[in-house]
Amino acid sequence: MKKVLIIEDDSAVSDLIALHLEEHEFSVTTASHGLKGLELGLTNNYDLIILDLMLPGKGGIEICRELRANHVHSNIMMLTSRGDEVEKVLGLELGADDYVTKPFSVREIVARVKALLRRQASPEPISEPPIEILGMVINKRSREVRIDGHLVDLTSTEFDLLLYMATHPGRAFSREQL
């Protein structure tokens, strides 16, 4: 059973999402305060974290930043009423895997959750060796990148982009393709 953490201060929103995810066999935990949500995100191994931006105690941007800084590899879906491009880009660059604006369709949220987790669960060959390029080692299995033996701190989106470009050397990609 996949585990989902919803960090949302509006109980009507979190209860509605939780209800629909539980109907699809997800185990759901909710937190209505930013600090409690961060604590849960850091101490439990969730498959997905649904994160509001406007929270009491600590905002969603800061929570996302701290989760990624502490090497939490859970998928993060930001859920917010802020729909401007700058907020979306900032959220995604800080490590969010998806960004949904309110108002939203619960069916769309469930579909997005399933899609994110499907990508996460795609099988990787166990015996596949790391990719080595000029002193950089990309380990797909552990999702770690090392340069000259030193661990590089990357968001999950940055790792995915680096891996994609490393597995397609010599090609140029447009923003839309990536």
Side-chain angles (χ1 to χ4, degrees):
M1 183 176 281
K2 297 289 186 181
K3 292 172 46 179
V4 176
L5 171 62
I6 302 172
I7 309 173
E8 165 66 63
D9 61 333
D10 184 340
S11 62
V13 171
S14 62
D15 291 348
L16 180 65
I17 295 170
L19 175 71
H20 285 271
L21 289 175
E22 287 166 349
E23 286 177 358
H24 287 77
E25 307 292 319
F26 291 99
S27 171
V28 179
T29 304
T30 62
S32 60
H33 194 274
L35 292 173
K36 180 63 176 174
L38 176 60
E39 177 188 330
L40 289 168
L42 290 171
T43 57
N44 295 289
N45 190 19
Y46 292 98
D47 298 292
L48 177 88
I49 299 171
I50 298 176
L51 179 60
D52 188 16
L53 285 188
M54 305 288 285
L55 293 164
K58 188 175 281 273
I61 294 289
E62 292 83 21
I63 292 171
C64 183
R65 183 181 291 126
E66 287 190 43
L67 290 171
R68 294 307 188 213
N70 284 284
H71 305 289
V72 173
H73 296 291
S74 304
N75 285 301
I76 297 176
M77 176 189 295
M78 290 194 166
L79 180 67
T80 182
S81 56
R82 292 177 163 178
D84 61 313
E85 181 182 12
V86 172
E87 289 291 330
K88 289 179 183 179
V89 169
L90 178 61
L92 293 169
E93 286 184 350
L94 285 174
D97 300 288
D98 199 0
Y99 195 106
V100 178
T101 56
K102 297 175 186 175
F104 57 85
S105 156
V106 178
R107 291 191 333 215
E108 179 184 357
I109 294 288
V110 172
R112 286 174 178 262
V113 166
K114 287 180 175 181
L116 284 169
L117 295 177
R118 200 170 37 245
R119 280 191 295 235
Q120 181 185 40
S122 62
E124 283 184 33
I126 293 172
S127 62
E128 189 169 345
I131 299 169
E132 296 184 40
I133 304 170
L134 301 172
M136 178 175 58
V137 178
I138 304 170
N139 189 322
K140 290 173 64 174
R141 190 106 178 107
S142 65
R143 296 185 60 85
E144 289 183 344
V145 174
R146 293 186 180 272
I147 296 179
D148 297 326
H150 300 289
L151 184 64
V152 179
D153 186 29
L154 297 175
T155 66
S156 62
T157 303
E158 290 169 339
F159 179 86
D160 291 340
L161 285 170
L162 179 63
L163 178 62
Y164 189 76
M165 289 187 278
T167 57
H168 296 85
R171 289 191 51 205
F173 300 97
S174 70
R175 183 180 195 114
E176 292 77 28
Q177 289 173 312
L178 293 174

XYZ file of all heavy atoms in Angstrom, residues 8 10 15 20-21 27 30 44 49 64 72 78 81 84 89-91 105 107 111 123-124 150-151 158:
191
model
N -1.838 20.264 4.505
C -2.840 21.238 4.040
C -3.603 21.743 5.251
O -4.108 20.940 6.040
C -3.780 20.551 3.043
C -5.058 21.270 2.715
C -4.867 22.575 1.981
O -4.356 22.556 0.852
O -5.245 23.626 2.554
N -6.407 23.546 5.255
C -7.851 23.546 5.042
C -8.344 22.100 5.169
O -8.152 21.281 4.268
C -8.173 24.116 3.663
C -9.670 24.249 3.399
O -10.478 23.574 4.075
O -10.025 25.034 2.500
N -9.377 16.514 3.799
C -10.286 15.388 4.015
C -10.837 14.855 2.695
O -10.961 13.642 2.515
C -11.449 15.786 4.935
C -11.010 16.036 6.370
O -9.869 15.689 6.723
O -11.824 16.606 7.141
N -10.728 10.326 -1.224
C -10.615 9.771 -2.578
C -9.370 8.908 -2.750
O -9.409 7.893 -3.451
C -10.664 10.888 -3.620
C -12.045 11.436 -3.815
N -12.933 10.914 -4.714
C -12.701 12.447 -3.186
C -14.076 11.570 -4.647
N -13.957 12.513 -3.722
N -8.264 9.295 -2.111
C -7.059 8.470 -2.204
C -7.243 7.148 -1.462
O -6.792 6.103 -1.935
C -5.838 9.228 -1.665
C -5.338 10.372 -2.528
C -4.201 11.116 -1.826
C -4.885 9.879 -3.896
N -2.663 4.663 1.724
C -2.625 4.954 3.156
C -2.317 6.441 3.285
O -1.275 6.903 2.801
C -1.530 4.122 3.827
O -1.344 4.542 5.153
N -2.512 13.049 7.369
C -2.695 14.478 7.124
C -2.045 15.293 8.239
O -1.929 14.842 9.370
C -4.187 14.861 7.016
O -4.840 14.561 8.247
C -4.862 14.142 5.871
N 9.132 9.856 8.312
C 8.420 8.719 7.736
C 8.745 8.622 6.264
O 9.043 9.618 5.614
C 6.899 8.868 7.922
C 6.517 8.823 9.378
O 6.582 7.786 10.015
N 6.137 9.971 9.929
N 4.118 13.280 -1.143
C 3.704 14.332 -0.220
C 2.948 15.375 -1.027
O 3.483 15.918 -1.998
C 4.917 14.971 0.488
C 5.654 13.909 1.307
C 4.476 16.141 1.359
C 6.981 14.364 1.879
N 9.458 22.159 1.298
C 10.015 21.462 0.136
C 11.536 21.572 0.141
O 12.243 20.580 -0.057
C 9.428 22.044 -1.146
S 9.967 21.221 -2.653
N 15.157 13.671 1.266
C 13.878 12.968 1.220
C 13.513 12.848 -0.261
O 13.382 13.846 -0.958
C 12.788 13.729 2.008
C 11.427 13.086 1.801
C 13.154 13.767 3.486
N 2.850 20.010 -5.214
C 2.424 21.257 -4.580
C 0.996 21.544 -4.989
O 0.631 21.414 -6.153
C 3.350 22.397 -4.952
C 4.696 22.257 -4.325
S 5.641 23.766 -4.437
C 6.933 23.394 -3.268
N -3.306 27.853 -4.202
C -4.130 28.803 -4.939
C -3.265 29.772 -5.735
O -3.754 30.503 -6.570
C -5.032 29.581 -3.971
O -4.247 30.208 -2.987
N 0.577 31.797 -10.344
C 1.436 32.542 -11.247
C 2.691 31.745 -11.600
O 3.134 30.880 -10.856
C 1.791 33.917 -10.667
C 2.543 33.846 -9.363
O 2.120 33.077 -8.489
O 3.553 34.564 -9.225
N 7.413 27.848 -11.168
C 8.808 27.582 -11.518
C 9.641 27.418 -10.252
O 10.443 26.485 -10.150
C 9.373 28.705 -12.424
C 10.885 28.576 -12.579
C 8.691 28.675 -13.781
N 9.434 28.283 -9.260
C 10.183 28.188 -8.010
C 9.917 26.848 -7.328
O 10.847 26.156 -6.905
C 9.808 29.338 -7.073
C 10.491 29.334 -5.708
C 12.004 29.445 -5.860
C 9.949 30.464 -4.851
N 8.654 26.461 -7.250
C 8.306 25.184 -6.624
C 8.953 24.002 -7.326
O 9.511 23.116 -6.684
N -9.776 19.510 -9.625
C -10.656 18.351 -9.686
C -10.009 17.240 -8.861
O -8.828 16.937 -9.051
C -10.815 17.906 -11.143
O -11.162 16.548 -11.211
N -10.594 14.112 -9.048
C -10.232 13.018 -9.959
C -8.894 13.292 -10.630
O -8.091 12.385 -10.840
C -11.332 12.803 -10.998
C -12.587 12.233 -10.387
C -13.608 11.757 -11.364
N -13.601 12.387 -12.665
C -14.673 12.621 -13.378
N -15.855 12.282 -12.917
N -14.588 13.174 -14.552
N -5.505 11.055 -10.336
C -4.808 10.618 -11.555
C -3.347 11.061 -11.541
O -2.451 10.298 -11.923
C -5.516 11.164 -12.794
N 10.238 -0.364 -13.114
C 11.350 -1.237 -12.758
C 12.663 -0.818 -13.423
O 12.683 -0.423 -14.570
C 10.901 -2.612 -13.266
C 9.901 -2.321 -14.330
C 9.253 -1.014 -13.957
N 13.725 -0.903 -12.644
C 15.070 -0.658 -13.162
C 15.834 -1.959 -13.114
O 15.713 -2.707 -12.156
C 15.814 0.336 -12.263
C 15.413 1.757 -12.444
C 16.285 2.673 -11.585
O 17.475 2.356 -11.375
O 15.764 3.666 -11.130
N 32.637 13.108 -4.405
C 31.837 13.942 -3.510
C 30.367 13.910 -3.929
O 30.041 14.128 -5.102
C 32.331 15.388 -3.509
C 33.754 15.525 -3.064
N 34.152 15.341 -1.769
C 34.877 15.809 -3.767
C 35.456 15.509 -1.673
N 35.933 15.786 -2.885
N 29.485 13.666 -2.967
C 28.055 13.598 -3.221
C 27.531 14.973 -3.626
O 27.841 15.985 -2.984
C 27.317 13.111 -1.970
C 25.816 12.891 -2.104
C 25.528 11.770 -3.103
C 25.230 12.537 -0.742
N 16.060 17.652 -10.869
C 17.411 17.849 -11.400
C 18.070 16.511 -11.711
O 18.719 16.361 -12.750
C 18.257 18.633 -10.388
C 17.846 20.082 -10.246
C 18.499 20.780 -9.063
O 18.952 20.100 -8.112
O 18.551 22.026 -9.092
